[in-house]
Amino acid sequence: MVQNNLNILIVGVGGQGTLLASRILGTIALRLGLECKLSEVHGMSQRGGSVVTHVKWGKEVFSPIVCQGDADYILSFETLEAIRWSDFLKESGYIIVSNQEILPMPVITGKEVYPKDAFKKLRDKNLNVIEIDGLKLAELAGSSKAVNVVLIGMLCAKEKIELDLAKEAIKHCVKEKNLELNLIALELGYEAIEKRGI
Amino acid sequence: MGSLLLANEAIALGAYEADVKVVSSYPGTPSTEITESASKYDSIYTEWAPNEKVALEVAIGACFSGVRSMCCMKHVGLNVAADPLFTLSYTGVNAGLVIVVADDPGMHSSQNEQDSRYYALSAHIPMLEPADSSEARDFVKIAYIISEKYDTPVIIRLTTRIAHSRSFVEPQERIEIQNKPYLKDVSKYVMMPSMARFRHLHVEKRENDLSRDISLYNTNSIVLRSQKLGIVCSGAVYQYVMEASDASVFKLGMIYPIDFDAVRTFASQVQELIVVEELEPFFEKELLSQGIQCHGKEIFGRQGEFCVSYIKQKLEGGLTTEKIKDKIPQRPPVMCAGCPHRSVFYALKKLKIKVCGDIGCYALGALEPLSSVDLCVCMGASIGMAHGFDKGNTGEGENTVAVIGDSTFLHSGINSLINSTYNNGTSTIVILDNSITAMTGHQDNPSTGITIKGQQGHKIDLYRLCLACGAGSVRVVDAYNIQEVTNALKEEISNKCVSVIIARRPCALLNKKYPPAYFIETKKCIYCKQCLAIGCPAIENLGNSVRINKELCVGCGVCTQMCKFEAIISEGK
């Protein structure tokens, strides 16, 4: 259970649902009786660019943003973005990565190459990496858009946050018509951690 | 029960609780959600104006009529509204008027990093800066009290990290304010030289009065910790400083005018006084001008945003320990799959045309692979710049085209079109009409005819408007049709008059009911890579073949026009 401050970075590509993910985590914090601040990105970088949302939980939170080397968790919805933001992770932190690859424009135009050994790169940094096929679980839940909630489920399981509490937070944040699939996505993420026993 | 609100949403809550009756604004990141949130309260009449100058003038009219009013904008929007702003400072208000301006240090979504605090200084208007959402709400209420007591507009300044951060806000009771009667008073409301001279005296007097009274409003706060170092700061920087250092902190809530006496007392309690502020050394110079010894900008730069670790490093004087970043591909923002701007920029690039761009999603037309925008300065500038390019570069300038969005054209492009036709211009103007203000998150505007409250208003007919402004030729083309756009450009460029091409297609994010995605029939594809030239994020280059990502493809079909081998097939066929 969350005792002290917890810094979470949510990274991905504009349009992958980082904003919803941070709102759900904010709601979970409130239900845990914690102080919470979130910092979001709006505007130009939302258009398919690299996006990052900061979530800070704790007894007392000042800055709404997480610094380099200060994240307890990074939730990454895309592989390349995991590498880009990995220097924000604490030594004791976990980086949970959905192994989806979305090619950035310099790769599409052939100027640059998408790293083939992305996960090796991450592991070589001695980071605690948890790889997951988030897209597969999200599709199983009913929508490829639910990768964000799968990863929230994983974080909740890691932090031993009660599944029912997380479900309440989802109910608070998600539209009725998408509720069922998001609850399934949450459970699938939660189970993925429990099954691995990590 | 409270909730996690953006400071922008908290400002709207504050407006509701303070019984604000009129909010008029133009969208601009990071300020847009203030007005969007305000529109959800039935008691607040809310509107999108075509630009910030009009918005502020509406707010001025409303406050003179006797109700509290508000006007919100991003930092560069205040430049547009600066004309009424400076004279509003002279007239003062009837009911209260608050302007909210959101600065963007680090330029998350802006073209410059200007520091709005200088507007407060030069227009002699009080300015408050909150440090979280709850304080943002509180400061709105204080701002109206100050506005009415000292007969002045008040500016609330935000920065991106406050505007777009969420923190806990507990709603408070809403007060109801009686409308103030409007009493005709030309000496106050009509600013001609003889009246304005007297009002200028008022400006000086009220600033002196407020300067003496600042402590009454409890907007500043002091955290006494180490006596070795005292730090003066405000807004988001205060939050960083609290984590980065154990210094004593003077947090300015009213950032103009500054309570110099209080800072002087604080300075006497610490051995050294450092000012930590993003952007310009505004506080530092103000404090030095009053003989308060302090420093800061020689340690902290003027550029970008600060954060906890940056401040910590600078205060401790150590070397920057930023980790070495991996050499991995950048991911710049791109036009979305199905974006109707893509095909227009592709046509412009193929014709090797000089393009004066403008502010909106289509500024992305400057990036690879479309790389077709040559110039981009500010809202509405494209048309004037194209005209200037043609006039200044006779002969060579014939190929200049201005590209501007529907909302930006209505913001400040119309005057430039009138200028071009009046002064015998020859430039060609492409209005990218995607029927929405897209970049800031899809706000309606006069070209959609729908108001922020969802009511039907007059829908501006861009075609007739351009003809009325004197354009020699106006035509509408399908933005998705590369050949049609290309033909129109060729013809209009050779026209010796100002011509307008309206390239029409709604923003791809508006209509969520997409036709089936396309796929590549590998037997027919020879990997000529032509389809990659349009820079669609859904078309992926795999090194020896091309694939369409069906998660991203919205079935616009623009890429099929690029393929000579008919290898791009709709999944619906």
Side-chain angles (χ1 to χ4, degrees), chain A residues 38-40 42 44 47 63 78 81 84 102 105 111-112 125 144, chain B residues 33 109 161 164-166 243 326 329 331 333-334 368 438 535 551:
Chain A
L38 315 172
S39 183
E40 305 177 350
H42 298 230
M44 182 173 265
R47 301 279 173 263
S63 164
E78 202 273 346
E81 295 311 308
R84 192 183 318 284
I102 299 175
M105 198 46 67
K111 288 242 155 144
E112 295 186 64
K125 293 168 180 244
S144 59
Chain B
E33 300 80 7
S109 200
R161 288 301 181 185
H164 284 166
S165 288
R166 288 178 186 273
E243 281 189 32
D326 291 277
R331 192 186 298 275
V334 289
E368 288 186 332
E551 293 298 330

PDB file of all heavy atoms in Angstrom, chain A residues 38-40 42 44 47 63 78 81 84 102 105 111-112 125 144, chain B residues 33 109 161 164-166 243 326 329 331 333-334 368 438 535 551:
ATOM      1  N   LEU A  38      -1.463  16.731 -10.716  1.00  0.00           N
ATOM      2  CA  LEU A  38      -1.249  16.180 -12.059  1.00  0.00           C
ATOM      3  C   LEU A  38      -0.829  17.310 -12.973  1.00  0.00           C
ATOM      4  O   LEU A  38      -1.314  18.421 -12.844  1.00  0.00           O
ATOM      5  CB  LEU A  38      -2.557  15.597 -12.620  1.00  0.00           C
ATOM      6  CG  LEU A  38      -3.416  14.724 -11.724  1.00  0.00           C
ATOM      7  CD1 LEU A  38      -4.741  14.431 -12.425  1.00  0.00           C
ATOM      8  CD2 LEU A  38      -2.700  13.428 -11.434  1.00  0.00           C
ATOM      9  N   SER A  39       0.073  17.012 -13.888  1.00  0.00           N
ATOM     10  CA  SER A  39       0.425  18.032 -14.872  1.00  0.00           C
ATOM     11  C   SER A  39       0.235  17.451 -16.258  1.00  0.00           C
ATOM     12  O   SER A  39       0.770  16.398 -16.585  1.00  0.00           O
ATOM     13  CB  SER A  39       1.865  18.492 -14.673  1.00  0.00           C
ATOM     14  OG  SER A  39       2.130  19.528 -15.595  1.00  0.00           O
ATOM     15  N   GLU A  40      -0.554  18.128 -17.058  1.00  0.00           N
ATOM     16  CA  GLU A  40      -0.958  17.596 -18.353  1.00  0.00           C
ATOM     17  C   GLU A  40      -0.335  18.396 -19.492  1.00  0.00           C
ATOM     18  O   GLU A  40       0.170  19.488 -19.281  1.00  0.00           O
ATOM     19  CB  GLU A  40      -2.489  17.679 -18.487  1.00  0.00           C
ATOM     20  CG  GLU A  40      -3.217  17.002 -17.347  1.00  0.00           C
ATOM     21  CD  GLU A  40      -4.725  17.138 -17.443  1.00  0.00           C
ATOM     22  OE1 GLU A  40      -5.218  17.912 -18.276  1.00  0.00           O
ATOM     23  OE2 GLU A  40      -5.405  16.453 -16.660  1.00  0.00           O
ATOM     24  N   HIS A  42      -1.379  19.932 -23.230  1.00  0.00           N
ATOM     25  CA  HIS A  42      -2.432  20.197 -24.209  1.00  0.00           C
ATOM     26  C   HIS A  42      -1.784  20.898 -25.398  1.00  0.00           C
ATOM     27  O   HIS A  42      -0.634  21.290 -25.328  1.00  0.00           O
ATOM     28  CB  HIS A  42      -3.502  21.121 -23.620  1.00  0.00           C
ATOM     29  CG  HIS A  42      -4.216  20.551 -22.430  1.00  0.00           C
ATOM     30  ND1 HIS A  42      -5.570  20.525 -22.330  1.00  0.00           N
ATOM     31  CD2 HIS A  42      -3.753  19.986 -21.291  1.00  0.00           C
ATOM     32  CE1 HIS A  42      -5.923  19.974 -21.178  1.00  0.00           C
ATOM     33  NE2 HIS A  42      -4.828  19.645 -20.515  1.00  0.00           N
ATOM     34  N   MET A  44      -0.179  21.702 -29.095  1.00  0.00           N
ATOM     35  CA  MET A  44       0.488  21.189 -30.285  1.00  0.00           C
ATOM     36  C   MET A  44       1.060  19.784 -30.128  1.00  0.00           C
ATOM     37  O   MET A  44       0.899  18.949 -31.013  1.00  0.00           O
ATOM     38  CB  MET A  44       1.589  22.143 -30.730  1.00  0.00           C
ATOM     39  CG  MET A  44       2.269  21.663 -31.999  1.00  0.00           C
ATOM     40  SD  MET A  44       3.427  22.839 -32.683  1.00  0.00           S
ATOM     41  CE  MET A  44       2.401  23.673 -33.873  1.00  0.00           C
ATOM     42  N   ARG A  47      -0.629  16.448 -31.026  1.00  0.00           N
ATOM     43  CA  ARG A  47      -0.811  15.989 -32.404  1.00  0.00           C
ATOM     44  C   ARG A  47       0.256  14.966 -32.781  1.00  0.00           C
ATOM     45  O   ARG A  47       1.192  15.262 -33.510  1.00  0.00           O
ATOM     46  CB  ARG A  47      -0.764  17.190 -33.359  1.00  0.00           C
ATOM     47  CG  ARG A  47      -1.812  18.230 -33.083  1.00  0.00           C
ATOM     48  CD  ARG A  47      -3.162  17.833 -33.681  1.00  0.00           C
ATOM     49  NE  ARG A  47      -4.213  18.769 -33.279  1.00  0.00           N
ATOM     50  CZ  ARG A  47      -5.043  18.560 -32.267  1.00  0.00           C
ATOM     51  NH1 ARG A  47      -4.946  17.480 -31.534  1.00  0.00           N
ATOM     52  NH2 ARG A  47      -5.971  19.429 -31.971  1.00  0.00           N
ATOM     53  N   SER A  63       5.602  20.583  -6.141  1.00  0.00           N
ATOM     54  CA  SER A  63       5.738  20.667  -7.594  1.00  0.00           C
ATOM     55  C   SER A  63       4.820  19.674  -8.288  1.00  0.00           C
ATOM     56  O   SER A  63       4.732  18.515  -7.889  1.00  0.00           O
ATOM     57  CB  SER A  63       7.185  20.371  -7.985  1.00  0.00           C
ATOM     58  OG  SER A  63       7.251  20.078  -9.363  1.00  0.00           O
ATOM     59  N   GLU A  78       4.252   3.008 -25.287  1.00  0.00           N
ATOM     60  CA  GLU A  78       4.939   2.787 -26.565  1.00  0.00           C
ATOM     61  C   GLU A  78       6.409   2.544 -26.261  1.00  0.00           C
ATOM     62  O   GLU A  78       6.963   3.139 -25.330  1.00  0.00           O
ATOM     63  CB  GLU A  78       4.751   4.014 -27.453  1.00  0.00           C
ATOM     64  CG  GLU A  78       4.916   3.803 -28.932  1.00  0.00           C
ATOM     65  CD  GLU A  78       6.346   3.928 -29.414  1.00  0.00           C
ATOM     66  OE1 GLU A  78       7.211   4.427 -28.666  1.00  0.00           O
ATOM     67  OE2 GLU A  78       6.625   3.524 -30.549  1.00  0.00           O
ATOM     68  N   GLU A  81       9.100   5.530 -26.682  1.00  0.00           N
ATOM     69  CA  GLU A  81       8.889   6.555 -25.660  1.00  0.00           C
ATOM     70  C   GLU A  81       9.426   6.090 -24.301  1.00  0.00           C
ATOM     71  O   GLU A  81       9.851   6.911 -23.477  1.00  0.00           O
ATOM     72  CB  GLU A  81       7.414   6.939 -25.567  1.00  0.00           C
ATOM     73  CG  GLU A  81       6.881   7.619 -26.823  1.00  0.00           C
ATOM     74  CD  GLU A  81       7.771   8.742 -27.316  1.00  0.00           C
ATOM     75  OE1 GLU A  81       8.110   9.633 -26.525  1.00  0.00           O
ATOM     76  OE2 GLU A  81       8.162   8.717 -28.508  1.00  0.00           O
ATOM     77  N   ARG A  84      12.964   7.039 -24.360  1.00  0.00           N
ATOM     78  CA  ARG A  84      13.119   8.497 -24.313  1.00  0.00           C
ATOM     79  C   ARG A  84      13.020   9.030 -22.882  1.00  0.00           C
ATOM     80  O   ARG A  84      13.734   9.928 -22.495  1.00  0.00           O
ATOM     81  CB  ARG A  84      12.059   9.163 -25.203  1.00  0.00           C
ATOM     82  CG  ARG A  84      12.314  10.650 -25.450  1.00  0.00           C
ATOM     83  CD  ARG A  84      11.212  11.341 -26.269  1.00  0.00           C
ATOM     84  NE  ARG A  84      10.714  10.598 -27.391  1.00  0.00           N
ATOM     85  CZ  ARG A  84      11.348  10.448 -28.551  1.00  0.00           C
ATOM     86  NH1 ARG A  84      12.507  11.025 -28.739  1.00  0.00           N
ATOM     87  NH2 ARG A  84      10.810   9.735 -29.520  1.00  0.00           N
ATOM     88  N   ILE A 102       4.990   2.585 -32.444  1.00  0.00           N
ATOM     89  CA  ILE A 102       4.379   3.566 -33.349  1.00  0.00           C
ATOM     90  C   ILE A 102       5.525   4.349 -33.982  1.00  0.00           C
ATOM     91  O   ILE A 102       6.318   4.982 -33.266  1.00  0.00           O
ATOM     92  CB  ILE A 102       3.403   4.506 -32.592  1.00  0.00           C
ATOM     93  CG1 ILE A 102       2.273   3.681 -31.960  1.00  0.00           C
ATOM     94  CG2 ILE A 102       2.834   5.552 -33.535  1.00  0.00           C
ATOM     95  CD1 ILE A 102       1.319   4.487 -31.081  1.00  0.00           C
ATOM     96  N   MET A 105       7.678  10.258 -37.367  1.00  0.00           N
ATOM     97  CA  MET A 105       7.837  10.736 -38.739  1.00  0.00           C
ATOM     98  C   MET A 105       9.274  10.606 -39.272  1.00  0.00           C
ATOM     99  O   MET A 105       9.462  10.201 -40.425  1.00  0.00           O
ATOM    100  CB  MET A 105       7.323  12.186 -38.845  1.00  0.00           C
ATOM    101  CG  MET A 105       7.034  12.665 -40.253  1.00  0.00           C
ATOM    102  SD  MET A 105       6.091  11.528 -41.302  1.00  0.00           S
ATOM    103  CE  MET A 105       4.503  11.497 -40.496  1.00  0.00           C
ATOM    104  N   LYS A 111      14.728   8.960 -42.460  1.00  0.00           N
ATOM    105  CA  LYS A 111      15.887   9.692 -41.942  1.00  0.00           C
ATOM    106  C   LYS A 111      16.525   8.974 -40.757  1.00  0.00           C
ATOM    107  O   LYS A 111      17.712   9.085 -40.515  1.00  0.00           O
ATOM    108  CB  LYS A 111      15.449  11.097 -41.484  1.00  0.00           C
ATOM    109  CG  LYS A 111      15.131  12.013 -42.625  1.00  0.00           C
ATOM    110  CD  LYS A 111      16.059  13.200 -42.640  1.00  0.00           C
ATOM    111  CE  LYS A 111      16.145  13.746 -44.038  1.00  0.00           C
ATOM    112  NZ  LYS A 111      16.254  15.162 -44.135  1.00  0.00           N
ATOM    113  N   GLU A 112      15.675   8.301 -39.995  1.00  0.00           N
ATOM    114  CA  GLU A 112      16.191   7.613 -38.808  1.00  0.00           C
ATOM    115  C   GLU A 112      15.604   6.209 -38.732  1.00  0.00           C
ATOM    116  O   GLU A 112      14.664   5.879 -39.449  1.00  0.00           O
ATOM    117  CB  GLU A 112      15.846   8.413 -37.548  1.00  0.00           C
ATOM    118  CG  GLU A 112      16.540   9.776 -37.521  1.00  0.00           C
ATOM    119  CD  GLU A 112      16.319  10.510 -36.215  1.00  0.00           C
ATOM    120  OE1 GLU A 112      16.784  10.001 -35.178  1.00  0.00           O
ATOM    121  OE2 GLU A 112      15.689  11.577 -36.233  1.00  0.00           O
ATOM    122  N   LYS A 125      20.375  -0.679 -18.957  1.00  0.00           N
ATOM    123  CA  LYS A 125      20.538   0.452 -18.035  1.00  0.00           C
ATOM    124  C   LYS A 125      20.283   0.028 -16.599  1.00  0.00           C
ATOM    125  O   LYS A 125      20.191   0.881 -15.717  1.00  0.00           O
ATOM    126  CB  LYS A 125      19.529   1.555 -18.380  1.00  0.00           C
ATOM    127  CG  LYS A 125      19.742   2.230 -19.708  1.00  0.00           C
ATOM    128  CD  LYS A 125      18.497   3.066 -20.000  1.00  0.00           C
ATOM    129  CE  LYS A 125      18.627   3.771 -21.320  1.00  0.00           C
ATOM    130  NZ  LYS A 125      18.642   5.217 -21.162  1.00  0.00           N
ATOM    131  N   SER A 144      -8.654  -1.393 -28.564  1.00  0.00           N
ATOM    132  CA  SER A 144      -7.214  -1.138 -28.603  1.00  0.00           C
ATOM    133  C   SER A 144      -6.851   0.159 -27.864  1.00  0.00           C
ATOM    134  O   SER A 144      -5.695   0.401 -27.555  1.00  0.00           O
ATOM    135  CB  SER A 144      -6.748  -1.053 -30.054  1.00  0.00           C
ATOM    136  OG  SER A 144      -7.446  -0.020 -30.719  1.00  0.00           O
TER     137      SER A 144
ATOM    138  N   GLU B  33      -9.260  26.241 -21.550  1.00  0.00           N
ATOM    139  CA  GLU B  33     -10.241  25.538 -20.710  1.00  0.00           C
ATOM    140  C   GLU B  33     -10.940  26.464 -19.717  1.00  0.00           C
ATOM    141  O   GLU B  33     -11.962  26.077 -19.150  1.00  0.00           O
ATOM    142  CB  GLU B  33      -9.570  24.382 -19.953  1.00  0.00           C
ATOM    143  CG  GLU B  33      -8.947  23.320 -20.836  1.00  0.00           C
ATOM    144  CD  GLU B  33      -7.585  23.712 -21.382  1.00  0.00           C
ATOM    145  OE1 GLU B  33      -7.051  24.763 -20.966  1.00  0.00           O
ATOM    146  OE2 GLU B  33      -7.057  22.998 -22.250  1.00  0.00           O
ATOM    147  N   SER B 109       3.364  25.167 -26.565  1.00  0.00           N
ATOM    148  CA  SER B 109       2.442  25.317 -27.697  1.00  0.00           C
ATOM    149  C   SER B 109       2.352  26.792 -28.098  1.00  0.00           C
ATOM    150  O   SER B 109       1.258  27.334 -28.216  1.00  0.00           O
ATOM    151  CB  SER B 109       1.070  24.768 -27.301  1.00  0.00           C
ATOM    152  OG  SER B 109       0.292  24.473 -28.431  1.00  0.00           O
ATOM    153  N   ARG B 161       2.328  25.408 -16.419  1.00  0.00           N
ATOM    154  CA  ARG B 161       2.374  24.381 -15.370  1.00  0.00           C
ATOM    155  C   ARG B 161       1.362  24.599 -14.266  1.00  0.00           C
ATOM    156  O   ARG B 161       1.143  23.707 -13.443  1.00  0.00           O
ATOM    157  CB  ARG B 161       3.774  24.296 -14.770  1.00  0.00           C
ATOM    158  CG  ARG B 161       4.782  23.678 -15.698  1.00  0.00           C
ATOM    159  CD  ARG B 161       4.416  22.273 -16.128  1.00  0.00           C
ATOM    160  NE  ARG B 161       5.446  21.748 -17.009  1.00  0.00           N
ATOM    161  CZ  ARG B 161       5.379  20.571 -17.629  1.00  0.00           C
ATOM    162  NH1 ARG B 161       4.319  19.806 -17.486  1.00  0.00           N
ATOM    163  NH2 ARG B 161       6.354  20.184 -18.401  1.00  0.00           N
ATOM    164  N   HIS B 164      -2.354  24.058 -16.560  1.00  0.00           N
ATOM    165  CA  HIS B 164      -2.616  22.677 -16.961  1.00  0.00           C
ATOM    166  C   HIS B 164      -2.215  21.660 -15.906  1.00  0.00           C
ATOM    167  O   HIS B 164      -1.942  20.507 -16.223  1.00  0.00           O
ATOM    168  CB  HIS B 164      -1.937  22.380 -18.303  1.00  0.00           C
ATOM    169  CG  HIS B 164      -2.687  22.984 -19.449  1.00  0.00           C
ATOM    170  ND1 HIS B 164      -2.164  23.117 -20.701  1.00  0.00           N
ATOM    171  CD2 HIS B 164      -3.942  23.488 -19.505  1.00  0.00           C
ATOM    172  CE1 HIS B 164      -3.070  23.677 -21.480  1.00  0.00           C
ATOM    173  NE2 HIS B 164      -4.145  23.918 -20.784  1.00  0.00           N
ATOM    174  N   SER B 165      -2.118  22.097 -14.652  1.00  0.00           N
ATOM    175  CA  SER B 165      -1.942  21.138 -13.568  1.00  0.00           C
ATOM    176  C   SER B 165      -3.246  21.026 -12.792  1.00  0.00           C
ATOM    177  O   SER B 165      -3.981  22.002 -12.670  1.00  0.00           O
ATOM    178  CB  SER B 165      -0.823  21.569 -12.630  1.00  0.00           C
ATOM    179  OG  SER B 165       0.415  21.397 -13.269  1.00  0.00           O
ATOM    180  N   ARG B 166      -3.484  19.820 -12.295  1.00  0.00           N
ATOM    181  CA  ARG B 166      -4.679  19.599 -11.486  1.00  0.00           C
ATOM    182  C   ARG B 166      -4.291  19.485 -10.023  1.00  0.00           C
ATOM    183  O   ARG B 166      -3.335  18.804  -9.685  1.00  0.00           O
ATOM    184  CB  ARG B 166      -5.366  18.284 -11.884  1.00  0.00           C
ATOM    185  CG  ARG B 166      -6.052  18.355 -13.207  1.00  0.00           C
ATOM    186  CD  ARG B 166      -6.679  17.041 -13.624  1.00  0.00           C
ATOM    187  NE  ARG B 166      -7.178  17.204 -14.974  1.00  0.00           N
ATOM    188  CZ  ARG B 166      -8.396  17.683 -15.254  1.00  0.00           C
ATOM    189  NH1 ARG B 166      -9.243  17.957 -14.268  1.00  0.00           N
ATOM    190  NH2 ARG B 166      -8.772  17.862 -16.496  1.00  0.00           N
ATOM    191  N   GLU B 243      10.430  22.407  -2.816  1.00  0.00           N
ATOM    192  CA  GLU B 243      11.027  21.063  -2.827  1.00  0.00           C
ATOM    193  C   GLU B 243      12.544  21.103  -2.996  1.00  0.00           C
ATOM    194  O   GLU B 243      13.240  20.188  -2.567  1.00  0.00           O
ATOM    195  CB  GLU B 243      10.433  20.211  -3.968  1.00  0.00           C
ATOM    196  CG  GLU B 243       9.070  19.643  -3.644  1.00  0.00           C
ATOM    197  CD  GLU B 243       8.590  18.640  -4.685  1.00  0.00           C
ATOM    198  OE1 GLU B 243       9.425  17.928  -5.282  1.00  0.00           O
ATOM    199  OE2 GLU B 243       7.366  18.584  -4.909  1.00  0.00           O
ATOM    200  N   ASP B 326      19.722   8.965 -24.742  1.00  0.00           N
ATOM    201  CA  ASP B 326      19.962   7.982 -25.797  1.00  0.00           C
ATOM    202  C   ASP B 326      19.781   8.627 -27.159  1.00  0.00           C
ATOM    203  O   ASP B 326      18.958   9.520 -27.321  1.00  0.00           O
ATOM    204  CB  ASP B 326      18.956   6.837 -25.670  1.00  0.00           C
ATOM    205  CG  ASP B 326      19.211   6.003 -24.442  1.00  0.00           C
ATOM    206  OD1 ASP B 326      20.058   5.129 -24.517  1.00  0.00           O
ATOM    207  OD2 ASP B 326      18.561   6.266 -23.398  1.00  0.00           O
ATOM    208  N   PRO B 329      15.309   8.141 -32.337  1.00  0.00           N
ATOM    209  CA  PRO B 329      14.574   9.057 -33.213  1.00  0.00           C
ATOM    210  C   PRO B 329      13.689  10.028 -32.423  1.00  0.00           C
ATOM    211  O   PRO B 329      13.074   9.641 -31.429  1.00  0.00           O
ATOM    212  CB  PRO B 329      13.715   8.122 -34.072  1.00  0.00           C
ATOM    213  CG  PRO B 329      14.377   6.793 -33.997  1.00  0.00           C
ATOM    214  CD  PRO B 329      15.047   6.733 -32.656  1.00  0.00           C
ATOM    215  N   ARG B 331      10.389  12.454 -31.935  1.00  0.00           N
ATOM    216  CA  ARG B 331       8.993  12.273 -32.324  1.00  0.00           C
ATOM    217  C   ARG B 331       8.308  13.641 -32.322  1.00  0.00           C
ATOM    218  O   ARG B 331       7.626  14.002 -31.368  1.00  0.00           O
ATOM    219  CB  ARG B 331       8.269  11.304 -31.387  1.00  0.00           C
ATOM    220  CG  ARG B 331       6.906  10.860 -31.918  1.00  0.00           C
ATOM    221  CD  ARG B 331       6.140  10.020 -30.906  1.00  0.00           C
ATOM    222  NE  ARG B 331       6.798   8.779 -30.558  1.00  0.00           N
ATOM    223  CZ  ARG B 331       6.696   7.639 -31.249  1.00  0.00           C
ATOM    224  NH1 ARG B 331       5.967   7.592 -32.337  1.00  0.00           N
ATOM    225  NH2 ARG B 331       7.331   6.559 -30.842  1.00  0.00           N
ATOM    226  N   PRO B 333       5.587  16.550 -33.272  1.00  0.00           N
ATOM    227  CA  PRO B 333       4.159  16.446 -33.579  1.00  0.00           C
ATOM    228  C   PRO B 333       3.946  16.383 -35.092  1.00  0.00           C
ATOM    229  O   PRO B 333       4.749  16.910 -35.857  1.00  0.00           O
ATOM    230  CB  PRO B 333       3.558  17.725 -32.995  1.00  0.00           C
ATOM    231  CG  PRO B 333       4.689  18.637 -32.718  1.00  0.00           C
ATOM    232  CD  PRO B 333       5.913  17.794 -32.572  1.00  0.00           C
ATOM    233  N   VAL B 334       2.888  15.734 -35.506  1.00  0.00           N
ATOM    234  CA  VAL B 334       2.593  15.597 -36.938  1.00  0.00           C
ATOM    235  C   VAL B 334       1.120  15.891 -37.185  1.00  0.00           C
ATOM    236  O   VAL B 334       0.308  15.830 -36.262  1.00  0.00           O
ATOM    237  CB  VAL B 334       2.869  14.156 -37.440  1.00  0.00           C
ATOM    238  CG1 VAL B 334       4.347  13.866 -37.479  1.00  0.00           C
ATOM    239  CG2 VAL B 334       2.146  13.120 -36.591  1.00  0.00           C
ATOM    240  N   GLU B 368       9.240  18.151 -41.898  1.00  0.00           N
ATOM    241  CA  GLU B 368       9.408  17.098 -42.904  1.00  0.00           C
ATOM    242  C   GLU B 368       8.290  16.064 -42.786  1.00  0.00           C
ATOM    243  O   GLU B 368       7.788  15.830 -41.708  1.00  0.00           O
ATOM    244  CB  GLU B 368      10.763  16.412 -42.704  1.00  0.00           C
ATOM    245  CG  GLU B 368      11.892  17.307 -43.118  1.00  0.00           C
ATOM    246  CD  GLU B 368      13.243  16.594 -43.073  1.00  0.00           C
ATOM    247  OE1 GLU B 368      13.387  15.659 -42.267  1.00  0.00           O
ATOM    248  OE2 GLU B 368      14.104  16.973 -43.849  1.00  0.00           O
ATOM    249  N   ALA B 438      -8.967  24.049 -34.462  1.00  0.00           N
ATOM    250  CA  ALA B 438      -8.567  22.667 -34.161  1.00  0.00           C
ATOM    251  C   ALA B 438      -7.477  22.558 -33.103  1.00  0.00           C
ATOM    252  O   ALA B 438      -7.597  21.810 -32.142  1.00  0.00           O
ATOM    253  CB  ALA B 438      -8.127  21.972 -35.443  1.00  0.00           C
ATOM    254  N   GLY B 535       3.713  12.062 -45.840  1.00  0.00           N
ATOM    255  CA  GLY B 535       3.960  12.133 -44.396  1.00  0.00           C
ATOM    256  C   GLY B 535       2.754  11.803 -43.547  1.00  0.00           C
ATOM    257  O   GLY B 535       2.463  12.498 -42.574  1.00  0.00           O
ATOM    258  N   GLU B 551      -4.757   0.799 -37.105  1.00  0.00           N
ATOM    259  CA  GLU B 551      -5.183   1.489 -35.882  1.00  0.00           C
ATOM    260  C   GLU B 551      -5.237   3.005 -36.105  1.00  0.00           C
ATOM    261  O   GLU B 551      -5.983   3.718 -35.439  1.00  0.00           O
ATOM    262  CB  GLU B 551      -4.197   1.210 -34.737  1.00  0.00           C
ATOM    263  CG  GLU B 551      -4.170  -0.220 -34.253  1.00  0.00           C
ATOM    264  CD  GLU B 551      -5.491  -0.664 -33.685  1.00  0.00           C
ATOM    265  OE1 GLU B 551      -6.207   0.198 -33.146  1.00  0.00           O
ATOM    266  OE2 GLU B 551      -5.824  -1.858 -33.813  1.00  0.00           O
TER     267      GLU B 551
END
